[in-house]
Amino acid sequence: MVAPPLTSDHLGLEVLAEVARVLAAGRPAAHGGGLAGGLADVVAALRRGLSLRRCRLWLRSTDGSRYFPIATPDDEPQLPGSANAVPAWVAAGPYRDAVPAGHGGGTLLRLPLVHDDEPFGCFEVIIPEGRHERMAHDVLVVVAQMLAPVVAAYELSADLASEVALRTRELEAQRNFVARIIDSLPVGLYVIDRAYRIRAWNRKREAGTQGVSREDAVGREVFDVLDRQPRDLLKLEFDRVFATGEIQQVEMDSQATGDIRHYRITKIPMRLDDDEISHVITIGEDVTAWRQAQQRLAQSEKLAAVGQLAAGVMHEINNPLATILGCSEALALRFGEQDEYLKIIDTEVQRCRRIVDALLDFSRPKVSSHKEPVGINAVIEQTLFLLKHHDRFKWLTIDRQLEEALPQFPADAERLVQCFMALMLNAMDAMNSRGVLTVRTRRNPLRSDEVLAEFIDTGTGIRQEDLPKIFEPFFTTKPQGRGTGLGLSVAYGIVEEHRGRIEVESQMGVGTNFKVFLPIG
């Protein structure tokens, strides 16, 4: 709709109409120049319509610390110090005074812009002498009354816009902070709504077995993203949480990366309005290390129980063995030491005693009189030196990969030599005295407070089903007569004495890697 035009030729009404048109046009918003841009047009309309010699609007800055002038380019020059005088002018209220004839004559008028007792600016005007002087005064008073609420409203909207922008930045910062917390969690996490659409997907999920980026996941149905899992089973799990409101937890194994990994999947109900369940949070945690630690603990308890049981039995066996050996020696004196059967009895009794001694050594690990700082490389070299004269060891190729400048650690060197010798002899048997034995030392890449010794052979490997049993007493896969099955058990006990651990990696047809981790401190 178009506003009706004026039918009067009254100069004051024409000027007021021009000011109204400027304010109605909303120039500050349209031109992006802020409030000052629109007020400059108002000042120009007043100066032009009322033929003012000086027309200057002093506008308060947004922080209220100063006043700055708005005037046309052809306005009278600004007197020095005027800006500093404006606060006093505003405080004094409306001011009117005659301008001496020597200074051009007319009337000096100062009109503060005040709204709800708060000052926002001040008009500084010189009205020329003439018949329109009173009319110009009245027009300026009306314009000042019009502008005061306009300026106040603009400042209020600017304050509100600043407050909204500040709150928006705070909310965005808080949202980013929460997102970073979720992304920093060492677990995979995603959230779905009741339409099974993904609403959150953290960075750990991006690096998961399927490697789907957040941008490709959020907003899609979870069944389209996790397409390796049966749709019906996955939907049933989510529906159960939505229906019961109970936390659901399952454990699963995966070979997607080539190695067997164990995962604990937890589905947690989420309520936005403390009433109906609106979302389900799914957390996937890799518990492989925890499962391995549990298995090592169970293995230690099992070995301890077997060792105690065997120790009791071996003590009972030692007595008849001593009797048999004594009778054998007596018969040798009577019939001569060259008797074939007596030699067999003596040899087998001595073998039984070695087995008994090894088992007792395993079941009751020796307590070292003292431990002193040793270097892992020196222990390795000493073990290799002792083995180099072994008949079957001579045919092996030894690949030394010993990292220099490794820190020393408190240990019983003799016991470690016994442990490493058992591991190397086991590797020799696995390769049937032919192949490459790699002996590597370094810091544990995952823990700087541990040194790592690795014994890698190129033998036949160990079957996966046999790996949990290799440290058990008397367990062996060697042919009969080639071993007692106590070497690895004794090595396990020695490593535990030093507060370390042994891990085994093996692949059939490729070889085996025994890893011995020993703490530095």
Side-chain angles (χ1 to χ4, degrees), residues 459-493:
T460 56
I462 305 172
R463 295 182 302 176
Q464 291 296 318
E465 57 267 28
D466 289 337
L467 281 176
K469 299 180 285 187
I470 60 175
F471 295 113
E472 294 179 6
F474 303 116
F475 178 83
T476 180
T477 58
K478 300 173 186 176
Q480 188 172 1
R482 287 281 299 277
T484 62
L486 290 173
L488 292 181
S489 301
V490 172
Y492 187 94

Side-chain angles (χ1 to χ4, degrees), residues 161-271:
S162 299
E163 182 70 17
V164 170
L166 177 62
R167 295 299 182 191
T168 302
R169 288 194 298 271
E170 290 177 350
L171 288 173
E172 187 64 25
Q174 186 176 9
R175 187 180 297 111
N176 290 337
F177 181 69
V178 173
R180 285 184 176 268
I181 291 176
I182 294 175
D183 284 341
S184 300
L185 293 174
V187 296
L189 182 148
Y190 67 92
V191 181
I192 65 155
D193 58 18
R194 280 193 166 270
Y196 308 104
R197 294 196 176 275
I198 297 172
R199 295 305 175 192
W201 186 270
N202 77 341
R203 295 298 179 192
K204 186 69 174 179
R205 283 295 317 180
E206 291 185 331
T209 54
Q210 294 185 241
V212 180
S213 69
R214 178 180 296 171
E215 291 74 16
D216 292 336
V218 173
R220 295 173 59 192
E221 273 199 357
V222 66
F223 314 114
D224 296 335
V225 177
L226 303 180
D227 52 7
R228 294 181 185 173
Q229 302 181 35
R231 179 188 180 98
D232 294 340
L233 178 60
L234 194 58
K235 183 176 183 298
L236 181 63
E237 292 175 355
F238 286 125
D239 290 343
R240 187 181 297 120
V241 178
F242 279 124
T244 65
E246 297 177 354
I247 296 176
Q248 306 288 330
Q249 190 173 90
V250 297
E251 292 194 7
M252 58 176 289
D253 298 334
S254 173
Q255 288 184 295
T257 59
D259 299 327
I260 297 178
R261 308 296 297 178
H262 307 286
Y263 295 94
R264 180 184 294 126
I265 310 299
T266 307
K267 289 182 169 58
I268 305 169
M270 173 181 168
R271 295 173 172 84

Side-chain angles (χ1 to χ4, degrees), residues 368-407:
S368 303
S369 57
H370 68 281
K371 292 180 180 178
E372 56 186 19
V374 299
I376 188 75
N377 292 343
V379 177
I380 295 288
E381 292 291 359
Q382 183 181 356
T383 308
L384 291 171
F385 176 78
L386 294 174
L387 286 173
K388 74 177 182 178
H389 300 294
H390 195 290
D391 290 338
R392 299 175 63 201
F393 207 77
K394 292 179 181 179
W395 302 102
L396 292 180
T397 300
I398 306 299
D399 180 14
R400 290 177 171 85
Q401 299 180 12
L402 308 181
E403 184 176 308
E404 297 181 356
L406 288 174

Side-chain angles (χ1 to χ4, degrees), residues 24-99:
R27 185 180 186 275
H31 293 258
L35 180 63
L39 295 181
D41 290 347
V42 171
V43 169
L46 291 173
R47 177 175 171 76
R48 181 177 57 254
L50 299 178
S51 302
L52 302 177
R53 214 171 72 216
R54 179 191 301 174
C55 184
R56 192 171 298 138
L57 174 60
W58 294 90
L59 188 65
R60 190 183 70 175
S61 61
T62 54
D63 60 3
S65 61
R66 62 186 180 87
Y67 289 85
F68 61 92
I70 298 175
T72 58
D74 56 344
D75 199 66
E76 284 187 350
Q78 178 180 327
L79 298 176
S82 297
N84 297 330
V86 175
W89 298 348
V90 172
Y95 175 83
R96 182 176 181 177
D97 194 14
V99 178

